[in-house]
């Protein structure tokens, strides 16, 4: 071999080495990206479990070092028992605050869906009920408390009632049914009751082992109602509750958001409150249909075209509107105790964009938006079978939500506007000055509005 060819071959080797080095650098570069993602994930997990706040600046270690760290991180990612406290990151400030407010919370999350009747709360509650195995959902447990106490004179004082609601909710969020048991009638025997209100509305109470079917027949997962469960063993319900990471309760009975402060501040809980509101005109229209006999008076007024201004019914309507607004004002004013724990949602927005709103709500609660929940929402908001018609969902459910415009007499719409004006303004519901506008579908009565 000539000198020349030897040299050429040496050059080739050199180039090869350089090339390999470049490839290696690119790979390492990529890996450090992965590293950073993996670390984020780990840190989130770590935060979810225990929350020490030590930091280790792995980000400024050498590439070789970072590969080691990557390996070590990866091994930990699959070892849930690992001690992650040595690995942390430049945690963003707001996340830090969150950590601080709940210094030793576990990964448990608690959601209170706070609404009033006829706001679509059962439907929105399903967004959580349908989450799947790791969420324990209760539908209107305070019904029992209200039922037993509204007749009792000693608690006609709203402050006392609110305190009882809060204590029962606290118990339930902690999977302790005993505060609630006191209000179930007839009283449970050995913590067993056949009388829990709307038990079938909680999937968690319809699954084995909480539900031991009396009659076994073909059961569809989402048709709890046809399944006959035996009496509810609350001890079992509590066990099931404790085994689940997420807890959600829907209630139309909490009147004032501020009465929840001690609950929100309870270090054992990690509460998020979602206040669901709806156009008060729609609520009235819906109530007139649902509770027809109770609203006979309103129908008469509509026919006569005259509404007595100082009627008790009007005062009640005003009271309802005012307390909804006042709760929202408390929430939107972001008091320290409620920071990042309050979200206001309009039913109309959910009707227009169910999936997006559900996504936002889940994001807010910190609970992963499960595919089961997604599927349920898809199934229950679709008009037609054409799954690829993106707009059908939006169009149909928003049509549903606007039906009231054709059922409410214009006179009554005006009454609501005069009584609930400030509430409507706050939530962005537009006033109508004539019947034509009320029933003209191409005119939206909803201002686009974001609530922070
Ligand atoms: C990384 O460490 C070196 C010295 O060890 C320091 O000069 C440099 O500023 C650090 N970089 C960062 C991003 O912290
Ligand atoms: C964390 O770091 C300490 C010393 O800095 C070390 O002794 C300990 O073993 C480390 N823990 C883990 C789980 O790596
Ligand atoms: C994790 O490691 C840190 C420091 O290495 C230690 O202080 C802490 O007690 C450990 N935690 C657990 C649960 O082992
Ligand atoms: C929080 O800390 C207290 C005492 O420091 C402890 O009893 C409790 O079990 C902890 N809770 C969780 C969820 O870790
Ligand atoms: C309700 O009871 C609380 C405490 O017992 C008392 O402070 C409050 O003034 C009462 N409110 C009304 C409206 O009676
Ligand atoms: C309810 O369930 C608990 C826990 O499994 C059990 O110990 C208890 O005997 C049950 N009660 C009744 C009345 O079956
Ligand atoms: C909207 O969807 C519901 C449920 O699928 C259906 O019953 C209703 O007829 C639809 N409404 C319109 C206006 O398409
Ligand atoms: C409904 O409102 C639109 C937009 O203001 C208007 O163009 C249309 O003529 C109205 N329809 C009726 C039936 O009044």
């Amino acid at each position: 071999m000539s000198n020349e060819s030897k040299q050429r071959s040496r050059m080739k080797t050199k180039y090869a080495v350089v090339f390999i080095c470049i490839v290696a650098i690119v790979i390492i570069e990529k890996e450090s990206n992965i590293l950073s993602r993996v670390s984020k994930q780990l840190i989130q997990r770590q935060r979810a479990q225990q929350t020490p706040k030590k930091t280790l600046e792995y980000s400024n270690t050498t590439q070789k070092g970072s590969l080691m760290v990557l390996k070590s991180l990866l091994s930990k990612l699959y070892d849930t028992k690992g001690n992650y406290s040595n690995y942390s990151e430049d945690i963003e400030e707001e996340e830090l605050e969150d950590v601080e407010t709940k210094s030793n919370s576990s990964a448990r999350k608690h959601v209170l869906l706070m609404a009033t009747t006829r706001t679509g709360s059962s439907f929105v509650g399903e967004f959580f009920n349908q989450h799947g195995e790791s969420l324990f959902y209760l539908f209107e447990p305070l019904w029992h408390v209200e039922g037993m106490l509204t007749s009792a004179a000693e608690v006609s004082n709203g402050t006392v009632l609110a305190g009882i609601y809060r204590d029962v909710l606290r118990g339930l969020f902690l999977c302790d049914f005993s505060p609630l048991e006191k209000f179930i009638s007839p009283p449970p025997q050995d913590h067993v009751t056949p009388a829990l209100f709307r038990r079938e509305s909680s999937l968690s109470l319809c699954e084995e082992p909480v539900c031991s079917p009396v009659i076994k027949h073909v059961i569809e997962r989402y048709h709890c109602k046809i399944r006959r469960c035996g009496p509810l063993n609350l001890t079992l319900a509590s066990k099931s509750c404790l085994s689940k990471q997420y807890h959600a309760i829907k209630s139309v009975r909490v009147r004032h958001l501020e009465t929840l402060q001690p609950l929100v501040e309870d270090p054992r809980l990690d509460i998020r409150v979602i206040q669901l509101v709806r156009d008060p005109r729609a609520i009235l229209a819906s109530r007139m249909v649902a509770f027809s006999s109770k609203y006979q008076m309103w129908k008469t007024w509509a026919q006569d075209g005259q509404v007595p201004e100082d009627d008790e019914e009007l005062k009640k309507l005003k009271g309802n509107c005012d307390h909804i607004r006042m709760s929202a004002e408390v929430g939107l004013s972001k008091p320290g105790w409620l920071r990042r724990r309050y979200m206001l949602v309009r039913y109309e927005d959910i009707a227009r964009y169910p999936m997006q709103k559900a996504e936002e709500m889940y994001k807010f609660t910190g609970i992963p938006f499960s595919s089961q929940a997604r599927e349920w929402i898809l199934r229950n908001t679709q008009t037609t079978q054409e799954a690829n018609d993106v707009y059908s969902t939006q169009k149909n459910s928003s049509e549903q939500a606007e039906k009231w415009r054709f059922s409410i007499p214009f006179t009554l719409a005006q009454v609501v506007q005069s009584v609930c004006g400030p509430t409507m303004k706050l939530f962005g519901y537009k006033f109508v000055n004539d019947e034509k506008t009320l029933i003209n579908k191409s005119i939206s009565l909803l201002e686009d509005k974001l609530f922070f």
Side-chain angles (χ1 to χ4, degrees):
M1 208 186 263
S2 71
N3 251 356
E4 204 180 327
S5 70
K6 256 189 202 166
Q7 210 163 346
R8 215 181 285 151
S9 132
R10 225 180 284 144
M11 285 294 274
K12 265 189 197 163
T13 317
K14 261 191 198 164
Y15 283 131
V17 168
V18 168
F19 179 70
I20 286 166
C21 284
I22 288 169
V23 168
I25 285 167
V26 168
I27 288 171
I28 288 170
E29 207 51 55
K30 272 201 181 141
E31 264 169 326
S32 53
N33 277 342
I34 294 169
L35 170 65
S36 129
R37 247 181 290 145
V38 168
S39 321
K40 277 227 171 84
Q41 210 174 332
L42 265 175
I43 283 148
Q44 271 157 10
R45 277 207 193 183
Q46 168 196 335
R47 235 180 263 148
Q49 291 177 356
Q50 287 270 309
T51 51
K53 277 190 321 196
K54 289 180 192 155
T55 51
L56 176 97
E57 273 144 28
Y58 76 84
S59 54
N60 196 18
T61 48
T62 63
Q63 295 293 11
K64 231 197 273 173
S66 69
L67 278 179
M68 301 267 291
V69 177
L70 172 64
K71 267 192 193 159
S72 139
L73 285 172
L74 279 172
S75 74
K76 290 192 179 299
L77 191 58
Y78 299 107
D79 174 16
T80 46
K81 274 180 263 163
N83 181 345
Y84 308 139
S85 59
N86 278 12
Y87 302 101
S88 191
E89 207 188 351
D90 41 328
I91 298 165
E92 285 149 49
E93 210 181 309
E94 36 173 63
E95 285 174 310
L96 249 180
E97 278 177 43
D98 228 14
V99 170
E100 270 163 3
T101 52
K102 292 284 161 182
S103 53
N104 86 337
S105 68
S106 59
R108 292 181 188 277
K109 306 241 180 267
H110 308 84
V111 180
L112 179 68
L113 181 59
M114 175 186 169
T116 55
T117 52
R118 316 311 295 178
T119 52
S121 63
S122 301
F123 177 68
V124 180
E126 288 299 305
F127 288 15
F128 294 101
N129 189 31
Q130 302 291 341
H131 176 272
E133 271 160 21
S134 51
L135 191 143
F136 192 86
Y137 175 77
L138 291 172
F139 179 96
E140 293 300 335
L142 298 180
W143 179 87
H144 291 283
V145 183
E146 182 186 56
M148 194 169 281
L149 290 186
T150 40
S151 49
E154 73 261 29
V155 287
S156 56
N157 180 326
T159 316
V160 176
L161 187 60
I164 295 170
Y165 281 161
R166 185 176 60 229
D167 293 342
V168 171
L169 285 176
R170 190 197 313 264
L172 294 173
F173 275 133
L174 292 167
C175 303
D176 176 5
F177 283 82
S178 52
L180 177 65
E181 277 190 50
K182 292 186 211 137
F183 298 97
I184 297 176
S185 171
Q189 303 291 310
D190 292 330
H191 311 290
V192 173
T193 177
L196 191 82
F197 178 63
R198 294 281 298 268
R199 173 209 184 151
E200 72 282 358
S201 297
S202 301
L203 283 180
S204 329
L205 300 180
C206 295
E207 291 164 350
E208 300 204 50
V210 183
C211 172
S212 40
V214 172
I215 308 163
K216 275 234 182 214
H217 46 103
V218 183
I219 292 152
E220 276 183 55
R221 188 179 154 79
Y222 297 121
H223 287 81
C224 172
K225 279 170 200 170
I226 60 166
R227 179 184 210 169
R228 303 282 167 84
C229 300
L232 177 62
N233 181 335
L234 292 167
T235 312
L236 276 178
S238 168
K239 268 191 182 170
S240 162
C241 174
L242 283 169
S243 75
K244 304 194 181 204
Q245 197 177 358
Y246 310 122
H247 302 84
I249 297 178
K250 148 181 136 68
S251 180
V252 295
R253 293 174 165 81
V254 176
R255 274 176 81 85
H256 299 287
L257 180 62
E258 63 271 27
T259 62
L260 297 177
Q261 183 172 352
L263 198 63
V264 173
E265 289 176 336
D266 191 318
R268 294 167 296 176
L269 300 173
D270 188 3
I271 293 203
R272 300 284 189 285
V273 180
I274 298 177
Q275 186 180 4
L276 178 66
V277 300
R278 190 180 181 191
D279 191 323
R281 294 168 298 195
I283 295 176
L284 176 65
S286 172
R287 297 187 121 242
M288 286 176 69
V289 174
F291 314 115
S292 175
S293 57
K294 266 193 182 171
Y295 281 79
Q296 203 50 54
M297 186 77 88
W298 289 86
K299 283 170 199 159
T300 314
W301 291 339
Q303 273 157 18
D304 297 352
Q306 279 191 341
V307 183
E309 269 178 33
D310 57 349
D311 192 272
E312 274 307 308
E313 284 290 309
L314 283 195
K315 284 183 192 154
K316 227 161 57 184
L317 175 65
K318 181 168 165 42
N320 285 341
C321 277
D322 286 346
H323 81 70
I324 293 167
R325 177 177 46 81
M326 284 174 337
S327 284
E329 281 167 352
V330 168
L332 296 173
S333 74
K334 298 183 191 164
W337 61 273
L338 206 49
R339 280 196 65 202
R340 281 183 247 284
R341 302 193 174 278
Y342 173 84
M343 182 185 194
L344 179 75
V345 182
R346 296 186 300 191
Y347 175 67
E348 291 80 2
D349 291 325
I350 294 175
R352 291 195 297 171
Y353 313 110
M355 201 57 86
Q356 290 94 313
K357 293 312 270 188
E359 205 143 7
E360 281 174 30
M361 285 189 274
Y362 266 104
K363 190 164 179 227
F364 161 72
T365 61
I367 299 172
F369 190 13
S370 67
S371 53
Q372 291 105 300
R374 253 175 229 282
E375 279 163 26
W376 188 91
I377 293 167
L378 216 54
R379 254 184 297 146
N380 288 275
T381 51
Q382 250 165 5
T383 329
T384 56
Q385 304 310 317
E386 299 150 42
N388 51 2
D389 180 3
V390 196
Y391 298 103
S392 64
T393 300
Q394 179 181 336
K395 193 175 164 204
N396 179 267
S397 53
S398 68
E399 253 173 51
Q400 292 285 100
E402 292 217 288
K403 267 184 167 173
W404 66 270
R405 292 174 64 173
F406 304 94
S407 76
I408 193 170
F410 176 64
T411 323
L412 298 190
Q414 274 183 311
V415 171
V416 177
Q417 289 174 176
S418 70
V419 168
C420 298
T423 308
M424 290 177 57
K425 275 198 194 112
L426 177 63
F427 298 146
Y429 298 124
K430 291 184 197 159
F431 290 54
V432 294
N433 297 318
D434 52 67
E435 184 162 11
K436 262 193 198 155
T437 311
L438 178 64
I439 61 174
N440 186 338
K441 272 192 197 172
S442 52
I443 299 173
S444 167
L445 299 188
L446 196 64
E447 279 169 35
D448 283 325
K449 205 162 173 173
L450 295 173
F451 301 95
F452 296 111

